[in-house]
Amino acid sequence: MGQARAYVDPTGIRPGFNETGTTISRGIFVKKIAGSAVDSISVATDGESVHGVTMDDIATATRGDVQTNSMAACIAGAAVARDAEVTADAAGKAITAVSGDYIAGL
């Protein structure tokens, strides 16, 4: 049996349309953007508001699944202590949040 793909019921999975020009990797924090589609996304960076976490790689000009609630498997950009609040770094990876950052989760 393979690794669990999602820890959330299907109502917490939303489509995300990548029009950034590059692939958004699996496990990266993303944000909604004003793009050509209602579900356009881009990588969330440096403590910005987070819409969700990509569940698989999303190639440019394609849609993919974004987990928007519950526990999500994400890529860490640095060591994070257990139960620490996290936010996005410059590459959309999870790092420990500091004052003023958007809290994406624990």
Side-chain angles (χ1 to χ4, degrees):
M1 180 177 212
Q3 188 174 20
R5 179 171 143 69
Y7 304 103
V8 63
D9 69 89
T11 61
I13 300 171
R14 300 285 183 254
F17 181 66
N18 176 9
E19 54 185 295
T20 63
T22 60
T23 296
I24 300 175
S25 299
R26 175 185 185 172
I28 297 295
F29 287 129
V30 291
K31 62 182 177 182
K32 286 186 166 188
I33 60 169
S36 65
V38 68
D39 55 357
S40 294
I41 58 169
S42 142
V43 174
T45 61
D46 297 324
E48 291 181 316
S49 177
V50 171
H51 172 61
V53 176
T54 53
M55 296 180 70
D56 286 307
D57 291 354
I58 305 175
T60 192
T62 63
R63 281 187 170 75
D65 292 335
V66 176
Q67 185 171 331
T68 59
N69 67 18
S70 194
M71 276 194 302
C74 57
I75 306 297
V80 176
R82 172 177 270 185
D83 294 329
E85 295 177 327
V86 295
T87 192
D89 70 3
K93 297 178 181 179
I95 59 170
T96 303
V98 297
S99 179
D101 285 342
Y102 177 86
I103 306 301
L106 295 176

